[in-house]
Amino acid sequence: MEQNDISSRIVFADRGKVNVEKGVEFAPKFDQNGLIPALAMDHITHEPLMLAYMNAESLRMTMELGEAVYYSRSRQEIWHKGATSGHVQKVKQILVDCDQDALIVLVDQCGAGACHTGHHSCFYRSVPFGDELKAQPQGGGVTLREADGGVVFDAEAVYGKGH
Amino acid sequence: MEQNDISSRIVFADRGKVNVEKGVEFAPKFDQNGLIPALAMDHITHEPLMLAYMNAESLRMTMELGEAVYYSRSRQEIWHKGATSGHVQKVKQILVDCDQDALIVLVDQCGAGACHTGHHSCFYRSVPFGDELKAQPQGGGVTLREADGGVVFDAEAVYGKGH
């Protein structure tokens, strides 16, 4: 896909000229790095899978392709999720919030999982709070707890060594 | 709560000294503005409610209080959600992702809703993609679609005029 083509086909509204909260014009806000956060969730179970970022181009690609395309901050490049692993995310719905600076992408997660660690979801650990936190030794760090059933696929086989 | 007290009670691990992905030490990563994104979801329905940000202090307050405390980027201050509206979010679970730079907060949303616009969720509009996008006139902007049943409370009565 040529960026110029896609930019002219999918035009975002000027945030200064529309009612961002009450209007129907899509005017996404990108942060100082040109990115908007996008949380991918399973479209049926609503399990949160991963939080990643899109730039304007990857958002347009997601909208046109119907598969989640992010911008990799570490690799500084467009990242078509699943291009390496086969774990494509087929988009079922995209939601935008009141001030249009965050997205939810409801997806059909293909393959065994979303996370490069081998877990189904990136959110595989829980953070203690309240009583559970109080029961931990204070001042020595906070201990996370496993929140899923463990890894569901061999990350090294899917992504290669040192992924 | 005194910040110094809470910082010594809840100590985050040094990210350079632990295995962030495979370890059990909580070592949240704050971005260049000192913030980490936190998506609040209903703990039963898993409906996404809002995406906001926490700084180290508000994250510690959330963990200690068991109610969601964010950092307001617009007001540049600690924001105990519900302090004005009564729409407190009682924390049921906090999840952290593989690289520990994003949080999910599963909450019991008190009151009618999470959004200052009067909607139950901030994610009340959907973004067209694929065939629905193609059916819209090209080059003239993207039209959002309502994704919920409309407002559920009188935002002006709860937050005051010009909220």
Side-chain angles (χ1 to χ4, degrees):
Chain A
M1 276 186 275
E2 271 300 318
Q3 191 183 353
N4 287 344
D5 286 356
I6 202 170
S7 300
S8 62
R9 280 197 301 277
I10 302 178
V11 177
F12 299 140
D14 182 338
R15 289 176 60 87
K17 293 183 178 166
V18 298
N19 188 326
V20 169
E21 293 190 349
K22 294 185 179 168
V24 294
E25 299 89 353
F26 188 34
K29 183 178 183 179
F30 300 94
D31 67 15
Q32 70 252 50
N33 299 313
L35 302 174
I36 186 169
L39 185 98
M41 293 175 60
D42 184 286
H43 73 115
I44 293 174
T45 64
H46 273 210
E47 181 190 14
L49 296 171
M50 55 186 280
L51 184 95
Y53 293 83
M54 294 182 183
N55 65 359
E57 187 186 355
S58 64
L59 173 54
R60 288 187 174 101
M61 289 172 71
T62 299
M63 292 167 65
E64 197 155 273
L65 192 62
E67 296 183 358
V69 181
Y70 303 102
Y71 182 83
S72 167
R73 296 177 300 169
S74 55
R75 296 193 303 273
Q76 300 197 314
E77 62 182 21
I78 297 285
W79 165 32
H80 180 181
K81 170 73 181 164
T84 306
S85 63
H87 296 176
V88 168
Q89 296 178 329
K90 292 191 183 298
V91 176
K92 298 294 180 178
Q93 190 175 30
I94 305 172
L95 298 169
V96 63
D97 72 347
C98 46
D99 48 2
Q100 300 202 32
D101 64 359
L103 301 170
I104 301 280
V105 190
L106 292 151
V107 302
D108 178 7
Q109 173 67 58
C110 300
C115 187
H116 74 287
T117 59
H119 289 266
H120 181 65
S121 161
C122 294
F123 296 96
Y124 52 85
R125 291 168 298 183
S126 70
V127 180
F129 68 95
D131 290 342
E132 187 186 346
L133 178 67
K134 274 187 210 136
Q136 294 194 356
Q138 284 192 8
V142 174
T143 303
L144 303 172
R145 192 158 47 87
E146 188 179 279
D148 68 358
V151 297
V152 292
F153 66 93
D154 181 346
E156 210 166 87
V158 170
Y159 295 101
K161 283 207 175 192
H163 63 276
Chain B
M1 279 184 275
E2 271 300 319
Q3 191 183 351
N4 287 344
D5 286 356
I6 202 171
S7 300
S8 63
R9 280 197 302 275
I10 302 178
V11 177
F12 299 140
D14 181 337
R15 290 177 59 87
K17 293 184 178 166
V18 298
N19 189 326
V20 169
E21 293 189 349
K22 293 183 178 168
V24 295
E25 300 89 351
F26 188 34
K29 182 177 183 180
F30 299 95
D31 67 14
Q32 71 251 51
N33 300 313
L35 302 175
I36 187 169
L39 185 99
M41 293 174 60
D42 184 286
H43 73 115
I44 294 174
T45 64
H46 272 210
E47 182 189 14
L49 296 170
M50 56 186 279
L51 184 94
Y53 294 83
M54 294 182 181
N55 65 0
E57 187 186 355
S58 63
L59 173 54
R60 288 187 174 100
M61 290 172 71
T62 300
M63 292 167 65
E64 197 157 272
L65 191 62
E67 295 183 358
V69 182
Y70 303 101
Y71 182 82
S72 167
R73 296 176 302 168
S74 56
R75 297 193 303 273
Q76 299 196 314
E77 62 183 22
I78 296 285
W79 165 31
H80 181 181
K81 170 73 182 165
T84 307
S85 63
H87 297 177
V88 169
Q89 295 178 330
K90 293 192 183 297
V91 176
K92 298 295 179 177
Q93 189 175 30
I94 305 172
L95 297 169
V96 64
D97 72 348
C98 45
D99 48 2
Q100 300 203 34
D101 64 358
L103 301 169
I104 302 279
V105 191
L106 292 151
V107 302
D108 177 7
Q109 174 66 59
C110 301
C115 187
H116 74 287
T117 60
H119 290 266
H120 180 65
S121 162
C122 294
F123 296 95
Y124 51 85
R125 290 168 298 183
S126 69
V127 180
F129 68 95
D131 290 342
E132 186 185 346
L133 178 68
K134 275 188 209 135
Q136 294 194 356
Q138 285 192 8
V142 174
T143 303
L144 302 172
R145 193 158 45 86
E146 188 179 278
D148 68 357
V151 298
V152 292
F153 65 93
D154 181 347
E156 209 164 89
V158 171
Y159 294 102
K161 283 208 176 192
H163 62 277

